[in-house]
Structures are given as structure tokens and as C-alpha cells.
């Protein structure tokens, strides 16, 4: 467990240090996978099935907000639908406009979930999207999740009926009738929409409660509700749902949700503290759950040798002082101020020591005595 906590802190430290580089790379990868999925599942317009064009669009999405990925995906879907048939493009345009006007404008900050929805189906873990959205997002993420499910199933329906829809001999009314039935009578799609919305709301509701292990209970409850809604809907509406793949994919999604909870939340409920304080207007009851962490010591090796001491000596020798000037030849001798009593007379010069006759001086002093 300690090794996992250290790994978590290292990952968070690296991401915090290089976030401005890592985030555009992640957005580029997500946009690239999403656009490749659109081309692989539709691919009716050959001009869009160009890897170079997909790379350019993904690069544009990496420097723009996340909402740009959704709208560029809508544009690609419309172009592919137009290549399949003008009627298909019209129905798809109406469907996208209805989503944007009545639903997506209320969840502008969570619309990136619409990109993750078809990818969760592509990787065969659809239950991970409602569980992850309930953990990391808000209750409004249920709106783009439901719209993403409708878009995924309708694109798959167009792929299955592409031969009839692209046939010029088929009447326009017949094409419209086929597409309307593909939307309204697709019971598997509506069961999945209800399951996604119910799981997101339930997981978000439990996750925001204050009791212990709320995140893990929300993950397990979300997985159980997803299985029950899918199985119950299949029995009530006679829709075909494979039970064994459903259970396996849900268990994998629950395990992935627990891993996500460890790296995002990771609360240590054994050290929970309950605080109580008040001010002039309110009394506060606070429950503080510290995050599980481990102290990591960063070792730094400092090499000490004699070279820095020599360099210090050199710097001391080159320091500008009066005792050791840098430019000794440029220094001018200081002049002594003349005494006011001296006038213009020369200073008295003392005789040298060798010129004094000490014996004569001694005899004169004895005579005076």
C-alpha cells in the first residue's frame, strides 16, 4: 500500500509540474481516438478518411477548449451523413440541433462526456462511463451521457442500414420511415439511456454524502443498478441483452472505478476528525477526512572538494580594497594637509642616526653638570 501511495504522489507531482504540456497531449490523444472512431464507424465520405486531416483536427482540438472536440465531431458526422444521403444528413442535423437546443446548453461544462460515451462502448466497458461521470462530474453530466448513447446507437443503425439508405431507388418517405423507426423503436438504446442516467444520478448522490466510504459504496451501487436496469429493461421490452458479457464488463468497470477513486480521492477514514465551531450567526459541524498519503524524503547528494576553496581565494584576491587595489598603478598618493602654523617654511628634517657624534654630546653634558 505504501508503494502505491508513493506512486500516486509521484504521478500527481509530475502532472502538477508539467500540466501545461501533459493536458494538451491528452486532449490530442482523445480527439484523435474519437475522430478515428467516427471514420471507422461511418466513413461514407472518402475525403474525411484521411489520417493527415484527422491529425490536424486533433491538433486543433488540443489547443482549444474541450467543447471544440464535440462540435468538430458533429461536423464530421454531418458530412458523413450527407455522403450517405441528403435525407440522412437532414435527420442527423435535426437530431443534433434538438440535442444542442433542449439538452446540451444546460450542461456546457460537462459536454465532454458525449465524447467519452461512444469510446466506452468501443472498449466494451460502457458501465465505466456513468460510474466515472458520477464520481468526477456533476448530476448534469447525465444529459450529455444520454445524448451520447442516442448518437452512438443511431450511428450504428445507419451503418447497418447504409445499403438501403444509399440506394437511389428507395423512396424518400421510406428512408425517413426507416430512420424514424431506428430512433423510436430501438429499445436497447432507450434502456441504455435510462441505465446511464440512473447510474450517474445515483453515484453522484451517494458520493456527495458524508458517511464513511461513500465513494466505494457509490461505485458498487452504481454497478449493481446498471446491471438491474439493463436486465429489467430487457425482460420488460423484449430487448436482447447478453447477461455474461454484461456482468463481466460491469465488474471490470467497478474495479476501474475503485482504481479511479484511489487516485482521485483516496480518503483515509481511520483518521476522520469531526470539528465544531461557531460564529455570530451559525454553528458549524465539520467532518474532515484526510487523504491517505505517505511522507517521501528526497535525497540530494552534494559533492564537496577543494576546488570551491581555491575559487574563494581567487575571489578574495580580486576583491577591491584599499589594502589590495585592483589597479595599483592608478592609485594616487594621498597629500598631507599643511599645518596652519607652518606658513611657507620648510618642514624640519631630522638628522640621520649615523651622523650624530654621541661621545661629543656626552662630554658637553658632563661639562654642564
Amino acid at each position: 500500500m505504501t508503494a502505491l501511495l508513493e506512486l500516486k504522489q509521484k504521478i500527481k507531482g509530475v502532472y502538477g509540474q508539467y500540466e501545461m504540456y501533459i493536458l494538451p497531449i491528452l486532449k490530442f490523444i482523445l480527439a484523435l481516438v474519437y475522430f478515428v472512431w467516427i471514420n471507422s464507424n461511418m466513413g461514407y465520405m472518402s475525403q474525411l478518411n484521411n489520417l493527415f486531416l484527422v491529425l490536424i483536427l486533433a491538433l486543433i482540438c488540443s489547443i482549444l477548449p474541450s467543447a471544440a472536440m464535440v462540435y468538430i465531431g458533429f461536423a464530421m458526422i454531418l458530412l458523413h451523413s450527407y455522403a450517405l444521403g441528403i435525407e440522412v444528413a437532414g435527420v442527423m442535423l435535426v437530431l443534433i440541433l434538438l440535442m444542442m437546443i433542449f439538452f446540451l446548453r444546460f450542461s456546457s461544462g460537462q459536454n465532454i462526456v458525449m465524447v467519452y460515451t461512444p469510446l466506452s462502448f468501443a472498449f466494451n466497458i460502457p458501465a465505466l462511463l456513468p460510474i466515472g461521470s458520477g464520481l468526477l462530474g456533476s448530476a448534469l453530466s447525465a444529459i450529455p451521457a444520454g445524448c451520447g448513447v442516442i448518437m452512438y446507437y443511431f450511428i450504428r443503425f445507419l451503418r447497418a442500414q447504409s445499403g438501403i439508405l444509399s440506394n437511389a431507388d428507395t423512396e424518400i418517405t421510406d428512408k425517413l420511415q426507416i430512420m424514424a423507426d431506428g430512433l423510436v423503436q430501438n429499445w436497447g438504446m432507450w434502456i441504455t439511456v435510462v441505465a446511464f442516467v440512473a447510474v450517474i444520478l445515483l453515484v453522484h448522490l451517494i458520493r456527495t454524502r458524508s458517511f464513511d466510504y461513500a465513494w466505494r459504496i457509490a461505485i458498487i451501487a452504481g454497478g449493481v443498478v446498471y446491471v438491474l436496469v439493463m436486465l429489467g429493461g430487457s425482460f420488460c421490452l423484449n430487448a436482447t441483452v447478453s447477461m455474461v458479457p454484461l456482468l463481466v464488463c460491469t465488474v471490470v468497470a467497478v474495479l476501474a472505478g475503485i482504481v479511479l477513486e484511489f487516485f482521485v480521492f483516496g480518503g483515509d477514514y481511520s483518521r476522520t476528525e469531526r470539528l465544531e465551531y461557531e460564529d455570530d450567526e451559525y454553528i458549524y459541524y465539520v467532518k474532515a477526512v484526510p487523504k491517505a498519503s505517505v511522507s517521501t524524503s528526497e535525497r540530494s547528494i552534494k559533492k564537496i572538494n577543494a576546488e570551491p576553496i581555491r575559487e574563494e581565494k581567487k575571489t578574495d584576491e580580486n576583491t577591491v580594497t584599499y589594502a589590495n587595489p585592483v589597479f595599483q598603478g592608478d592609485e594616487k598618493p594621498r597629500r598631507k594637509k599643511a599645518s596652519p602654523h607652518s606658513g611657507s617654511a620648510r618642514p624640519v628634517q631630522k638628522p640621520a642616526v649615523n651622523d650624530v657624534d654621541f661621545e661629543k654630546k656626552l662630554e658637553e653634558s658632563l661639562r654642564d653638570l
Side-chain angles (χ1 to χ4, degrees):
M1 190 63 180
T2 304
L4 292 176
L5 291 174
E6 291 180 356
L7 177 62
K8 173 185 174 181
Q9 291 185 0
K10 289 180 181 179
I11 293 175
K12 292 178 67 176
V14 172
Y15 181 79
Q17 186 176 2
Y18 302 102
E19 180 181 2
M20 61 180 300
Y21 306 107
I22 296 176
L23 189 59
I25 293 175
L26 294 178
K27 291 170 64 176
F28 172 79
I29 295 174
L30 178 61
L32 180 63
V33 175
Y34 181 54
F35 297 153
V36 169
W37 178 86
I38 292 176
N39 287 335
S40 61
N41 284 269
M42 300 188 77
Y44 308 118
M45 182 174 284
S46 59
Q47 290 82 358
L48 293 179
N49 295 328
N50 188 352
L51 183 60
F52 182 71
L53 178 61
V54 172
L55 289 174
I56 293 177
L57 293 176
L59 184 61
I60 293 174
C61 292
S62 65
I63 59 177
L64 293 178
S66 301
M69 201 179 304
V70 179
Y71 297 119
I72 292 177
F74 282 160
M76 293 180 65
I77 292 172
L78 283 174
L79 291 175
H80 282 299
S81 301
Y82 177 77
L84 183 61
I86 187 65
E87 303 86 1
V88 179
V91 173
M92 184 65 74
L93 179 61
V94 172
L95 180 62
I96 292 175
L97 290 177
L98 289 175
M99 290 181 181
M100 295 176 61
I101 294 172
F102 293 102
F103 300 104
L104 296 180
R105 68 188 186 94
F106 298 104
S107 59
S108 58
Q110 307 289 328
N111 287 341
I112 190 64
V113 177
M114 198 168 181
V115 177
Y116 291 110
T117 303
L119 299 182
S120 65
F121 285 98
F123 290 101
N124 293 323
I125 45 174
L128 179 60
L129 184 121
I131 293 175
S133 299
L135 292 176
L136 304 180
S138 64
L140 292 176
S141 60
I143 297 176
C147 295
V149 172
I150 295 174
M151 188 63 66
Y152 167 77
Y153 275 91
F154 189 61
I155 289 174
R156 201 172 69 167
F157 172 78
L158 294 179
R159 184 179 180 182
Q161 302 293 331
S162 60
I164 299 176
L165 295 174
S166 60
N167 190 359
D169 297 333
T170 307
E171 297 292 335
I172 297 177
T173 56
D174 295 336
K175 292 181 180 180
L176 295 177
Q177 182 66 35
I178 291 172
M179 288 184 287
D181 293 339
L183 278 175
V184 177
Q185 298 182 4
N186 194 342
W187 305 118
M189 179 187 71
W190 295 114
I191 293 172
T192 308
V193 170
V194 173
F196 271 47
V197 173
V199 171
I200 289 176
L201 296 178
L202 179 65
V203 171
H204 181 265
L205 178 65
I206 298 176
R207 190 261 297 177
T208 54
R209 301 306 95 187
S210 61
F211 53 83
D212 293 347
Y213 303 101
W215 282 59
R216 298 178 186 177
I217 295 174
I219 293 170
I220 297 173
V224 172
V225 169
Y226 180 79
V227 173
L228 293 178
V229 171
M230 293 297 292
L231 293 178
S234 65
F235 290 145
C236 295
L237 300 175
N238 295 324
T240 57
V241 176
S242 300
M243 183 177 295
V244 176
L246 175 65
L247 294 176
V248 173
C249 295
T250 305
V251 170
V252 174
V254 168
L255 295 177
I258 293 175
V259 174
L260 186 65
E261 182 267 341
F262 173 76
F263 281 98
V264 176
F265 179 68
D268 187 4
Y269 290 99
S270 61
R271 297 187 291 122
T272 302
E273 298 180 2
R274 289 175 172 81
L275 308 175
E276 178 183 352
Y277 56 93
E278 61 179 277
D279 57 11
D280 296 337
E281 297 180 357
Y282 296 96
I283 299 175
Y284 303 92
Y285 298 94
V286 180
K287 179 182 179 181
V289 180
K291 291 186 177 182
S293 61
V294 60
S295 59
T296 57
S297 60
E298 298 181 358
R299 298 179 180 178
S300 60
I301 301 175
K302 185 177 182 180
K303 186 177 180 181
I304 301 175
N305 50 21
E307 293 181 357
I309 300 176
R310 296 176 183 175
E311 293 178 357
E312 290 177 0
K313 289 183 178 179
K314 292 180 180 180
T315 55
D316 292 336
E317 292 174 359
N318 294 329
T319 304
V320 179
T321 59
Y322 180 77
N324 187 22
V326 177
F327 305 99
Q328 294 182 2
D330 297 337
E331 183 184 4
K332 296 181 180 180
R334 295 183 178 180
R335 297 180 180 179
K336 295 183 179 180
K337 294 183 179 181
S339 176
H341 302 286
S342 59
S344 62
R346 293 183 179 179
V348 179
Q349 296 182 355
K350 295 183 180 180
V353 178
N354 297 328
D355 298 334
V356 178
D357 190 358
F358 291 99
E359 293 181 356
K360 186 176 180 180
K361 294 290 183 181
L362 180 60
E363 289 178 358
E364 290 178 355
S365 61
L366 291 175
R367 289 175 185 174
D368 294 337
L369 293 174

